Each structure stands twice: as C-alpha cells, then as structure tokens.
Amino acid sequence: MSDAVIPPALGLDDLGPESTPVAYEVGGPDNAVAYVTLNRPEYRNAQNSVMTYSLDAAFRKAVDDPAVKAIVLRANGKHFSAGHDIGTPERDFDTHYDNVAALHWDHTDKSGADQRLARETEVYMGMCRRWREIPKPVIAQVHGACIAGGLMLAWICDFIVASDDAFFSDPVARMGIPGVEYFAHAYALGTRRAKEILFTGERFTAAQAADWGMVNHVVPRDELPATVDAIAEKMVAMPLQGLFLSKKAVNICEDQMGLRNSMDSVFGWHHFAHAANAESGGDSLGGMDAKSMKASSANGSGS
Ligand code: ZN
C-alpha cells in the first residue's frame, strides 16, 4: 500500500459539506446542530485511518463551535458503515498519523503484538472512548449496514435512531476474536442477546435492536433525517450545561455499572486473540480478509 494514494487526514479547516472521507456542516435552529457525515460510500464507509482521524477532527470542530449544541453522526451512500477497513485499496494500516488519542506510542515502526496494541489503543479504543465523552449530545442516524466497527461508532453516540432497513452485526467471532475492540455489547444489548449475536455472527434488525434497548427509535427510511432533526431541535432548546451534565451523569452510571473496566479487561482478551491468530501462522485476523468476510456475512468488516 503506497502512501501516495491515501489522502491526508482532514484538519479542522479542511472539513466541509462535500469533504471526504468525512463531511461536515452545521444547520438547524441558529446553526446549533453539527452534521458529521461518513463519506466514503464507494467502500460502504469502511473505516480506514484517514476516516478515523478525519472523524476526530470533525468532532473537535463541533465541540469547539460555541453555536453547536448537538451533533448528528450520519452516513452517505447505501450503508452506515461496513466496519473497519480490512480490504479496500485505501487501507492505510501502516500509514503514520500524529497520535491524537495520545494513549500509546506510534505503531508504524513497531511489529507484531506491539504494533497491534499501539494502533488499536490509539485508533479504535482511544478515539471511541474520547468520542463517547464529547460534552454535547451525539445522535447516530443509522441506515443500511452497521457492522462490527460500525457498531462502535453507533455505540459511542448517546442516541441511536435507525431506519427500518438498518441492520447490525458483529461477526468477528469468525476470526476467533471476541467482538470488536469497544466492547459495549453486554451493556448495549444485554448479556444473553450479546452472546447470541456474538456466537452466531448473525444480523439483527433495527426493530430487534429497539426491542433490546440498543436503538431509541425506528422509522421508515424516508422519515429518518426529519425524525433525527426533530429530536435534535428539542435538544438544542435546552441549555448546554444541562445537556453535557446530563450526558456525563448517565455515562458515570454506565461506568459504575462496569462498562469502562470490563472494556479494559476484554481488550486484553481481544489482543490475545489477535496474537493467537498470528502465532498460529496466519494473520492477526485469522485469515479473514474482506472478501471472505463478505462471503460469510453482510459486508467486509474487520476488527
Ligand atoms: Zn482488533
């Protein structure tokens, strides 16, 4: 993979309504809603590092804008996100970006388990955790596929509103891996549902997700943007202090219920899985590249 074909991650000034791989615009009453749009539709919004770092810039822009009081995370194209990029021509696993989560050293001059832990601590776990703590409400507007790493993006949001054609899965047990890095499964789904979707790797529908408490509302596809806008409008009528303290309060409760500690613990087992796969002679994904995952599940999606 040559660095030459990979665009640099977007900075705060690069973001616009058409920018790729993440688009950014503000709207709603008094421009109080920031719309952060995954914009890599030709690859089902598979998340390469360029997208992840650009997403981080977009969230920072929204946090820094004093007019913005709520954020909508949505996607262009047929699907919300097929997960982490494990097979597109712009996969940029080995490309250096300045660490923004700053929880570990750069991975690009490392190898093996050291490299995997460094990259996933920065790009997956570190950024997702920071995004969960964004001091403004974030609504996920989900349509189409929301697979594996796509679930991570939906789960860091405070609200999930899905269209009735949305579907979800985390099929990475097929790689011998116990779910995606941001292990919120048991909290987002309940323990037995979490086991069911992990053990089978099967899709679950928006209606099921709502029934299990993971999704707030399910609406027809053509009503999705208006429904999200209506919820955002109600939120931005509230004082920002009330919003961010309410968010913090619920997040504190979730952490007291064990989310943060269990995620740390499971992250170790996740990396045992990567290492065991690599040690057995294959790659750290258990030989499951995007093509084989596509054949066995909905979309190319990795961990
Ligand atoms: Zn991983």
Side-chain angles (χ1 to χ4, degrees):
M1 180 83 270
S2 160
D3 289 357
V5 302
I6 299 170
L10 299 174
L12 298 181
D13 296 334
D14 305 319
L15 291 157
E18 307 289 335
S19 53
T20 57
V22 174
Y24 182 91
E25 58 194 304
V26 293
D30 302 321
N31 284 338
V33 182
Y35 294 91
V36 176
T37 308
L38 306 175
N39 194 21
R40 205 176 172 231
E42 66 275 30
Y43 298 116
R44 299 188 185 106
N45 293 311
Q47 302 162 43
N48 56 4
S49 291
V50 170
M51 175 181 273
T52 307
Y53 281 88
S54 300
L55 200 50
D56 189 70
F59 285 138
R60 274 185 287 145
K61 193 176 180 83
V63 171
D64 288 345
D65 184 341
V68 168
K69 294 172 75 177
I71 301 165
V72 173
L73 175 63
R74 62 187 184 181
N76 277 339
K78 290 168 80 173
H79 300 288
F80 182 76
S81 176
H84 296 144
D85 187 342
I86 57 171
T88 82
E90 295 170 1
R91 188 183 185 207
D92 51 359
F93 181 93
D94 294 327
T95 304
H96 168 80
Y97 301 93
D98 290 337
N99 279 17
V100 296
L103 295 171
H104 217 90
W105 46 74
D106 181 66
H107 72 282
T108 52
D109 62 345
K110 302 295 187 293
S111 62
D114 187 14
Q115 181 186 56
R116 289 190 294 271
L117 183 66
R119 180 170 184 274
E120 294 200 348
T121 298
E122 157 77 7
V123 179
Y124 296 159
M125 187 71 109
M127 287 210 236
C128 277
R129 276 184 163 168
R130 286 200 300 111
W131 297 339
R132 172 181 177 256
E133 302 298 334
I134 286 170
K136 297 178 179 179
V138 185
I139 305 172
Q141 176 180 313
V142 178
H143 69 281
C146 179
I147 308 297
L151 277 175
M152 290 170 56
L153 290 187
W155 284 344
I156 60 94
C157 297
D158 303 301
F159 258 59
I160 302 175
V161 183
S163 57
D164 52 9
D165 65 349
F167 59 94
F168 307 85
S169 78
D170 184 357
V172 304
R174 293 191 178 120
M175 302 172 168
I177 294 171
V180 287
E181 291 80 7
Y182 187 88
F183 196 84
H185 306 59
Y187 296 86
L189 297 162
T191 52
R192 296 192 188 283
R193 295 298 188 190
K195 287 176 181 174
E196 184 175 344
I197 70 111
L198 288 166
F199 293 178
T200 66
E202 287 181 347
R203 297 176 179 189
F204 53 104
T205 65
Q208 286 174 304
D211 189 39
W212 301 343
M214 189 191 105
V215 161
N216 293 70
H217 302 285
V218 182
V219 297
R221 175 69 165 270
D222 59 0
E223 296 175 18
L224 182 63
T227 302
V228 170
D229 286 346
I231 294 169
E233 276 192 34
K234 286 182 192 170
M235 288 182 182
V236 302
M238 300 286 277
L240 186 57
Q241 178 175 303
L243 291 172
F244 91 76
L245 288 178
S246 299
K247 171 168 183 167
K248 186 172 278 296
V250 178
N251 281 5
I252 288 169
C253 293
E254 203 175 21
D255 284 337
Q256 289 297 315
M257 290 156 72
L259 175 68
R260 185 177 180 87
N261 287 344
S262 52
M263 204 176 277
D264 278 332
S265 182
V266 175
F267 195 51
W269 291 108
H270 181 100
H271 277 271
F272 166 81
H274 280 314
N277 285 344
E279 201 172 86
S280 67
D283 62 30
S284 67
L285 299 178
M288 300 292 279
D289 61 11
K291 265 186 194 154
S292 50
M293 286 302 280
K294 189 176 177 184
S296 62
S297 71
N299 286 277
S301 178
S303 183

